[in-house]
Amino acid sequence: EIVATVGSNMAPVTTTTLFTALAFTGAAAYAPVNTVGGAFKSRQVSKSSTRVYENFGFEFAEDMVENTPDVILGEANYKQWVSTVNDNSFLNRQYNVVGRVRELGLLEKTAELGVLSKLEKLGLDLATVEELLPQAEKLGLLSVVGNNQQLLINGAAPLVIEGAPILLPVVAGALGVGPAAFYLGAAGFFGLDYFLIANGVEVPFVGLPAGVVAGLLLVPLGVVSGGVGLFFSGLKK
């Protein structure tokens, strides 16, 4: 061990002491600091937790993490566990599109009403559909359908298919008339909504404006009906 003496009045300094002081100095140089009000404070780096608590952070509420088995903790785990108990559970059930179409005989009714032949007269045949597919892809419509399959199958499909026995004769009649029928339907939807608003009609037992409530259905139907009329008017026969 080497001992160095600096000056006559200073204590001897060993090599070990020097290396220790240099080590602490170097470590302090790489420590992150933060200045708040002129004072240097060490910054503590901590990872943010992504755990979601169902007790909303209240201490008096039940802690779901402690009281719930891991196999059913969380929506994804719960759905997987339910599927092992019952394959046809309401939670994981998927609407049977093909089966309901067959049970309701929609294909036979479509053929009887001549829907396909009426579409061809209006200019919508297989060749036209093939020409429209690239345009639909450019607009992102096919991507929207592909990314929302579950919503369309379990949300929109039941409404369309279950109501098809009533809607098919109406649609077939409108197709037989042409775009004018769809324009008339749009005018009827908008006119009915305007009538309810202008006369201040209210929903019974609730007191809400009927024009606003019914408008949630009538306005979209009017837009769709008018859009279909424009679509068929633009097709080349």
Side-chain angles (χ1 to χ4, degrees):
E1 188 178 51
I2 302 173
V3 179
T5 304
V6 182
S8 58
N9 297 327
M10 300 187 65
V13 180
T14 62
T15 308
T16 305
T17 306
L18 290 175
F19 280 117
T20 304
L22 291 174
F24 278 108
T25 304
Y30 290 97
V33 294
N34 184 22
T35 59
V36 179
F40 291 90
K41 294 184 178 180
S42 346
R43 179 183 300 170
Q44 296 180 352
V45 180
S46 60
K47 295 183 179 180
S48 60
S49 177
T50 57
R51 184 186 294 273
V52 179
Y53 296 94
E54 297 185 10
N55 58 3
F56 300 100
F58 295 110
E59 296 181 356
F60 59 84
E62 182 181 3
D63 191 351
M64 300 299 297
V65 178
E66 294 182 0
N67 301 329
T68 306
D70 294 338
V71 68
I72 60 174
L73 181 60
E75 183 179 356
N77 293 336
Y78 181 68
K79 286 184 177 181
Q80 292 178 1
W81 177 79
V82 170
S83 63
T84 61
V85 177
N86 186 359
D87 295 335
N88 194 28
S89 65
F90 181 78
L91 184 63
N92 295 319
R93 187 179 303 168
Q94 191 174 34
Y95 184 74
N96 189 0
V97 176
V98 178
R100 288 301 294 163
V101 169
R102 186 184 301 110
E103 291 173 2
L104 295 174
L106 298 183
L107 296 179
E108 292 80 1
K109 293 180 181 179
T110 301
E112 293 175 0
L113 295 172
V115 174
L116 297 180
S117 60
K118 293 177 181 179
L119 288 174
E120 291 181 357
K121 291 181 180 179
L122 292 174
L124 186 62
D125 50 11
L126 292 178
T128 305
V129 173
E130 292 178 358
E131 295 176 358
L132 294 176
L133 286 178
Q135 298 180 8
E137 179 62 27
K138 291 180 181 180
L139 295 175
L141 298 179
L142 299 182
S143 300
V144 172
V145 173
N147 296 330
N148 297 276
Q149 294 182 14
Q150 291 297 326
L151 179 61
L152 294 175
I153 292 176
N154 294 325
L159 296 176
V160 175
I161 294 177
E162 299 300 331
I166 300 175
L167 296 176
L168 271 177
V170 179
V171 173
L175 292 174
V177 175
F182 294 95
Y183 293 146
L184 181 61
F189 291 130
F190 290 132
L192 178 58
D193 190 41
Y194 175 77
F195 172 81
L196 295 175
I197 295 175
N199 291 275
V201 180
E202 296 182 351
V203 179
F205 308 108
V206 180
L208 294 175
V212 176
V213 177
L216 298 175
L217 177 63
L218 295 176
V219 172
L221 288 176
V223 172
V224 171
S225 182
V228 172
L230 291 173
F231 174 76
F232 284 122
S233 297
L235 290 178
K236 296 181 180 179
K237 298 181 181 181

